[in-house]
Amino acid sequence: RKEVEQDPGPFNVPEGATVAFNCTYSNSASQSFFWYRQDCRKEPKLLMSVYSSGNEDGRFTAQLNRASQYISLLIRDSKLSDSATYLCVVNTNTNAGKSTFGDGTTLTVKP
Amino acid sequence: ETGVTQTPRHLVMGMTNKKSLKCEQHLGHNAMYWYKQSAKKPLELMFVYNFKEQTENNSVPSRFSPECPNSSHLFLHLHTLQPEDSALYLCASSQGGQGGDEQFFGPGTRLTVL
């Protein structure tokens, strides 16, 4: 079993749709969680951190469920520019170097 | 502007060449990373340096040799590579030390091995 597993996708949605991605992690000692976005042939960029209380940034909402060991990303009112691969990242250790990236979920928003 | 720069951005080399990739971060971070991303594949962690000490070597072949002279610079020395080593090589940095902190990526070097 992979340490971090994401919805395989791809997700193809119309503009304005709401889409949700889930990510599960296997290590209950995981400390911190992030969502990154990676555009085609570009580097990953931090989208948002995921806090225990959940957090929202505009159209994006991230949630953490420690009991079930999963995090989620909700995108409301999808835009064409949201088309990208979304990477779930889990830090299992307090030391640098223990970030585990998921394989990513590809989202295509269509007109 | 990510604060992490990589050179060169593109590199084509033969299997007998020796080349080096350079990464520099201007964020005052203490941890630096090398990742490999092959076409349509997930990120693969290669090496991690924390306060200039290598803390992770993810079973990377010896034809890849990292060097971290200080907390701001990271190199990846390449020699006798194989065509399957063609990929996007990404450098990242983070605060390092204690703490599960986010990583900031450079734009990557797109490497083609002929």
Side-chain angles (χ1 to χ4, degrees):
Chain A
R1 182 188 173 186
K2 291 182 180 178
E3 287 187 54
V4 176
E5 293 202 63
Q6 294 188 238
D7 290 344
F11 285 67
N12 298 302
V13 302
E15 269 188 293
T18 296
V19 61
F21 306 138
N22 288 323
C23 170
T24 58
Y25 58 95
S26 59
N27 191 328
S28 59
S30 297
Q31 302 269 347
S32 54
F33 311 87
F34 307 94
W35 284 102
Y36 281 72
R37 169 194 170 129
Q38 186 173 25
D39 292 289
C40 187
R41 300 178 70 84
K42 299 279 190 179
E43 74 274 21
K45 293 185 178 180
L46 180 68
L47 179 65
M48 57 198 305
S49 303
V50 187
Y51 303 123
S52 296
S53 55
N55 48 304
E56 187 173 315
D57 183 3
R59 298 181 292 108
F60 298 83
T61 301
Q63 291 192 313
L64 167 64
N65 185 320
R66 286 190 184 273
S68 301
Q69 294 183 200
Y70 78 83
I71 67 172
S72 63
L73 177 68
L74 181 76
I75 306 176
R76 291 181 298 277
D77 189 22
S78 300
K79 310 292 184 190
L80 296 177
S81 57
D82 293 335
S83 298
T85 296
Y86 291 83
L87 303 168
C88 167
V89 182
V90 176
N91 285 6
T92 307
N93 192 298
T94 55
N95 293 324
K98 296 299 182 182
S99 294
T100 303
F101 282 74
D103 290 354
T105 300
T106 299
L107 170 67
T108 301
V109 181
K110 298 185 175 180
Chain B
E1 189 64 49
T2 63
V4 181
T5 59
Q6 289 187 242
T7 55
R9 295 292 305 276
H10 300 272
L11 178 62
V12 179
M13 59 187 289
M15 290 189 286
T16 58
N17 293 157
K18 289 185 179 181
K19 297 286 183 183
S20 294
L21 309 185
K22 179 182 176 182
C23 175
E24 184 173 0
Q25 58 93 2
H26 312 274
L27 300 170
H29 289 165
N30 298 299
M32 297 187 78
Y33 312 75
W34 279 118
Y35 289 88
K36 174 185 178 183
Q37 189 172 38
S38 301
K40 298 190 177 182
K41 290 189 176 180
L43 283 167
E44 299 174 47
L45 179 65
M46 300 176 72
F47 302 103
V48 181
Y49 280 82
N50 198 16
F51 291 94
K52 301 190 298 178
E53 297 295 320
Q54 188 179 121
T55 57
E56 191 96 5
N57 178 337
N58 211 19
S59 303
V60 180
S62 60
R63 57 186 184 269
F64 295 91
S65 174
E67 179 190 359
C68 187
N70 55 62
S71 292
S72 299
H73 293 86
L74 184 65
F75 295 90
L76 187 63
H77 304 300
L78 316 171
H79 63 97
T80 59
L81 294 192
Q82 305 297 312
E84 60 264 29
D85 295 324
S86 299
L88 180 67
Y89 288 85
L90 290 159
C91 172
S93 72
S94 71
Q95 188 60 47
Q98 297 293 317
D101 44 2
E102 62 264 33
Q103 296 179 26
F104 295 82
F105 286 82
T109 295
R110 192 161 296 280
L111 173 68
T112 302
V113 181
L114 302 176

